[in-house]
Amino acid sequence: MALLQISEPGKSTLPHEHRNAIGIDLGTTHSLVAAVLSGEAKILQDEKNARLIPSIVHYQKEAILVGNEAAKQLANDPTNTITSAKRLIGKKLSDIQPDTTPLKLVNQDQLIGIKTNQGVKTPIEVSSEILKKLSAIAQNHIQDEICGAVISVPAYFDDAQRQATKDAARLAGLHVLRLINEPTAAALAYGLDKKVEGRFVIYDLGGGTFDISILQLSHGLFEVIATQGDTGLGGDDYDLALFNWLISDLDIKVEDPKIKQALISLSKKIKEDLSQEYKIEINERLSNEILIKKIITQAEFSQLTDNLTQRTLKAIKAALHDANSTIDDIDGIVMVGGSTRMPVIQKAVQDFFKKDLLNDINPDEVVALGAAQQANILAGNTNENLLLLDVTPLSLGIETMGEIVEKIIPRNSTLPIAMAQEFTTYKDGQTAMMIHVVQGEREMVKDCRSLAKFSLKGIPPMVAGAAKIRVTFQVDTDGLLSVTAKELSTNTQASIEVKPSYGLDDEQIRSMLEDSFISANEDLEHRALAEEKMGGRQLLEMLKNALSEDQKLIDKDEIKLIDEAVKGLEMALQGDDRHQIHEKIERLNDVTQNFAQARMDHSIQKALSGKTLKDMEL
Ligand code: ADP
Ligand code: MG
C-alpha cells in the first residue's frame, strides 16, 4: 500500500548491453504500454496510432477482439464483451454483486468464471488478452527482445490480486520484472524521486475508480503513508449524472438498452467536450420519439456533479488525517487519470490545497510512463539502482489461545519484510501446533480475515510453556506472504506460502480499518476478557495436575479452601465478567500459595536426594 524507494549509485551499463523493458498500465477502463526509447519514456501507439487501449475483450465463436474493436461490440453483445476485468481479478464470486454486471458470472474453483462464446473465462485470462495486445504493440515498436515488463497495480491490491495480475502476465508470455503501485509510478514520471524531501498527494480519478495516496520522500526514501478512495467513483458517475440530466425532462422512460447505451456515450462525449469548451449545445435525435435539444455550461455541469467532486475531497481529508498532515505539509499534488482533465476537478483540488497542481503530463499516460522508467532501471540501462517497496495494507498475525490475534507484521510495514516472534505450547506434552494466519486490525480472530492454516508437528513433548516455537512472517516485494514455524530445540519446521484464492478490495480493507477504529475499545475489552479466561483455565489445569501429584503435602482444611476457590473460579469462567474472573484468580493464587511453597520445598528435597535439576522444574 505504501512505497519506499531507495536510490543508490551503481554501475551504468555499456551501450551494447542495453536491454529492452516495457511499462504497462493495466487500467480498469484503459490500458497503455510505454518504454524508454533514446533515453525518454514514450507511450507506444497501436497500428492505428491509438495510445489508450480500452480494457475490453470480446469473445466471438472463433476470434477474440481486444481494445477498440471489442468496444464496438459492447452494445450488441454485452454478455460476450468483458469490461472492467480488473474489478474481478483475484476475487471470489461472493465478493461481487452480480446485478452490477451484464456478464454471466459462475463459480470456477473458488474464483470467478465468466461465461462466453468460447466457454468459461477467468478474469486472469481476460486480462492476459489485454496484456498480449499491449505486448504485441511493444514488440512492433521495439523489434528486438523484450526482457520484461513492469506492470502497475492499485496500491490497495492485496496478495491475491497481485498474484492474479502476475499470472495474467505469465499467460501473455510476459516476464514481470516487478509490479509497481500506480501512485508511485506517477510520482516517478514527475521525477519527484529526484527531490531531496517532500510530501506529495497523488489524486487519481479514472473511469470507475478513485484513489488518493500520500507519499513521503525523505533521504532518498519514498514511502506511501496513506491511501484512501472509492472503488465505485469515477468518470462513469459524471457520465451518469449528465445522462440523468439529459433525460430529466423527456417524458419517456429509457428502457431500450441500445438507446440507453447511446445516451450514455453521448453524455461521455459532452463531458469530455466540456473540458475544452465553456458551453455545449446538444442537438441529437436518437429515435423518432427522442430529440434532445439542450445547452449546458461548465458551471452547470459543475453544479450537477458537485456531490461527486465533494466525495473526492472528503477522501482527501481522510487521507490527510491518516497521514497526520494538513494541507500545509503537502509539497505537491499530482493529477492522474483521464477524469482529472475536467476543469471542475482541477479547480476543486487546487482550491482545496491552495496550491498549483502537477498536471502537465497527460493524466491518463503518467502511470505507464513511470512504469516504463522503472522497467528501464530494472533492466539495468541506467546508473540508478532503484528499489521500490510496498507496504502491507493490513496487519498480519496469528491466532493464539483464546482466539486472540497476535500481530506479527503491523499494517503499513515497508516491504520486503521479515518478522519473527516466539510462541509456546499451551498444554503439557503438546506435540503439534496449529498456525492460523490472519489479516486485519481487530483483536479477535473472528473479526479478522483468515488467510491460511497449517500445523507444525513433531514438537518434542515438554511442559506447557517450555517449547519455543519461532514463527516467521515474510512478505516479498510483490506483497506475497510466507509463514514458517520452527521448534527451536529440534529445528523441526513447517511453512506455508499464503496465496489466498480471493482478495479483499479496498472497500473491504477500508471497512476493516474503520471497524477496528470504531471497535478499538470494545476489542481491547474482549481481548482482556479472553486473556483473563485463558489465564484462569491454565491455572485450573496446572493446579489439577499439581494436586493429583502432591495433594499429600497439604492438610484437609487447606484442600477444602482450595476446592472452594476452584469452584469460585470455575463459576466466574462461565460468565463474562473480567473483573470477577480476575478476582477469583487472585483468590485461588492466594489460597494455593502455601501449597506452592510446599511443592517447591518438596522438589528441593527430591533434588538433594540425587534428582536432576531438570526434574525439579515442575
Ligand atoms: P482508468 O485508470 O480507470 O483506466 P482513465 O485514467 O483512462 O481510467 O480515465 C478514464 C476516464 O477519463 C473516463 O471516464 C473518461 O471519460 C475520462 N476522460 C478522458 N478524457 C477526458 C476529458 N478530456 N474530460 C473529461 N473526462 C475525460
Ligand atoms: Mg488508471
Side-chain angles (χ1 to χ4, degrees), residues 399-406 426 443-447 521-539 569 572-573 575-579 581-582 585:
E399 171 173 352
T400 63
M401 288 308 300
E403 288 165 33
I404 297 169
V405 177
E406 185 63 34
Y426 173 67
E443 301 281 339
M444 305 302 294
V445 170
K446 65 174 172 41
D447 300 317
N521 282 335
E522 190 192 324
D523 266 18
L524 286 176
E525 188 55 40
H526 253 95
R527 185 184 177 119
L529 173 64
E531 276 175 349
E532 207 71 78
K533 279 193 169 179
M534 211 174 52
R537 287 196 198 106
Q538 213 163 6
L539 178 61
L569 177 55
L573 284 173
D576 283 332
D577 183 341
R578 162 163 84 82
H579 300 287
I581 296 169
H582 187 76
I585 290 175

Side-chain angles (χ1 to χ4, degrees), residues 25-32 52-53 55 84 86-87 182 204-211 234-239 267-276 301 336-343 363-365 367:
D25 173 3
L26 185 60
T28 314
T29 327
H30 296 118
S31 296
L32 301 93
L52 295 169
I53 309 300
S55 303
S84 302
K86 189 172 177 177
R87 288 186 186 279
E182 289 162 7
D204 181 351
L205 190 61
T209 55
F210 171 61
D211 298 305
D236 295 348
D237 298 291
Y238 287 78
D239 301 345
S267 307
K268 191 190 210 78
K269 186 172 179 315
I270 298 167
K271 172 193 76 175
E272 292 181 4
D273 289 348
L274 273 173
S275 296
Q276 312 297 324
F301 176 63
V336 181
S339 300
T340 61
R341 288 222 177 79
M342 290 187 281
D364 32 30
E365 297 181 353
V367 169

Side-chain angles (χ1 to χ4, degrees), residues 241-450:
L242 264 184
F243 163 84
N244 286 327
W245 171 81
L246 276 180
I247 60 167
S248 59
D249 40 31
L250 293 179
D251 264 351
I252 53 127
K253 271 204 177 126
V254 184
E255 259 152 14
D256 181 343
K258 278 191 191 163
I259 293 191
K260 185 168 178 193
Q261 188 59 45
L263 276 167
I264 288 184
S265 297
L266 175 66
S267 307
K268 191 190 210 78
K269 186 172 179 315
I270 298 167
K271 172 193 76 175
E272 292 181 4
D273 289 348
L274 273 173
S275 296
Q276 312 297 324
E277 284 163 60
Y278 180 70
K279 189 167 93 179
I280 301 286
E281 288 182 28
I282 307 143
N283 196 350
E284 288 271 334
R285 184 175 288 280
L286 289 169
S287 70
N288 281 343
E289 308 105 285
I290 309 178
L291 170 74
I292 300 178
K293 228 171 131 58
K294 288 182 119 172
I295 292 177
I296 188 162
T297 63
Q298 272 183 11
E300 284 161 345
F301 176 63
S302 301
Q303 219 174 16
L304 212 58
T305 54
D306 188 52
N307 61 328
L308 302 172
T309 308
Q310 290 305 324
R311 271 164 68 188
T312 76
L313 299 184
K314 225 173 118 189
I316 299 178
K317 281 184 200 146
L320 285 171
H321 177 266
D322 284 357
N324 223 338
S325 305
T326 67
I327 55 166
D328 297 329
D329 301 322
I330 302 302
D331 302 300
I333 303 108
V334 178
M335 301 300 273
V336 181
S339 300
T340 61
R341 288 222 177 79
M342 290 187 281
V344 49
I345 293 293
Q346 297 275 337
K347 185 170 183 310
V349 178
Q350 194 157 354
D351 288 352
F352 182 88
F353 285 103
K354 303 186 178 70
K355 269 193 195 74
D356 285 343
L357 308 174
L358 290 164
N359 55 7
D360 49 333
I361 302 179
N362 248 334
D364 32 30
E365 297 181 353
V366 60
V367 169
L369 294 173
Q373 286 174 7
Q374 175 69 7
N376 192 47
I377 292 164
L378 290 174
N381 297 326
T382 67
N383 58 1
E384 282 173 273
N385 183 8
L386 212 90
L387 213 73
L388 283 166
L389 310 169
D390 291 332
V391 306
T392 50
L394 292 169
S395 300
L396 295 161
I398 68 172
E399 171 173 352
T400 63
M401 288 308 300
E403 288 165 33
I404 297 169
V405 177
E406 185 63 34
K407 288 182 186 133
I408 298 195
I409 298 186
R411 144 182 149 76
N412 272 342
S413 299
T414 324
L415 305 186
I417 190 170
M419 283 182 112
Q421 198 157 319
E422 278 177 21
F423 293 89
T424 189
T425 44
Y426 173 67
K427 284 201 161 161
D428 288 352
Q430 185 177 336
T431 58
M433 190 181 241
M434 170 67 84
I435 310 285
H436 182 193
V437 183
V438 296
Q439 183 178 44
E441 305 317 304
R442 302 279 299 268
E443 301 281 339
M444 305 302 294
V445 170
K446 65 174 172 41
D447 300 317
C448 289
R449 178 174 172 236
S450 167

Side-chain angles (χ1 to χ4, degrees), residues 405-509:
V405 177
E406 185 63 34
K407 288 182 186 133
I408 298 195
I409 298 186
R411 144 182 149 76
N412 272 342
S413 299
T414 324
L415 305 186
I417 190 170
M419 283 182 112
Q421 198 157 319
E422 278 177 21
F423 293 89
T424 189
T425 44
Y426 173 67
K427 284 201 161 161
D428 288 352
Q430 185 177 336
T431 58
M433 190 181 241
M434 170 67 84
I435 310 285
H436 182 193
V437 183
V438 296
Q439 183 178 44
E441 305 317 304
R442 302 279 299 268
E443 301 281 339
M444 305 302 294
V445 170
K446 65 174 172 41
D447 300 317
C448 289
R449 178 174 172 236
S450 167
L451 289 183
K453 274 185 186 165
F454 68 101
S455 54
L456 174 69
K457 296 196 180 105
I459 302 172
M462 284 181 241
V463 186
K468 280 205 170 108
I469 286 106
R470 175 175 296 151
V471 176
T472 309
F473 274 49
Q474 202 164 355
V475 189
D476 72 12
T477 40
D478 294 324
L480 300 178
L481 167 70
S482 59
V483 180
T484 307
K486 187 171 176 183
E487 195 285 308
L488 296 178
S489 72
T490 55
N491 279 346
T492 311
Q493 83 173 48
S495 61
I496 194 167
E497 227 175 78
V498 184
K499 284 182 193 162
S501 57
Y502 65 98
L504 294 172
D505 60 25
D506 64 331
E507 247 340 291
Q508 283 168 291
I509 289 185

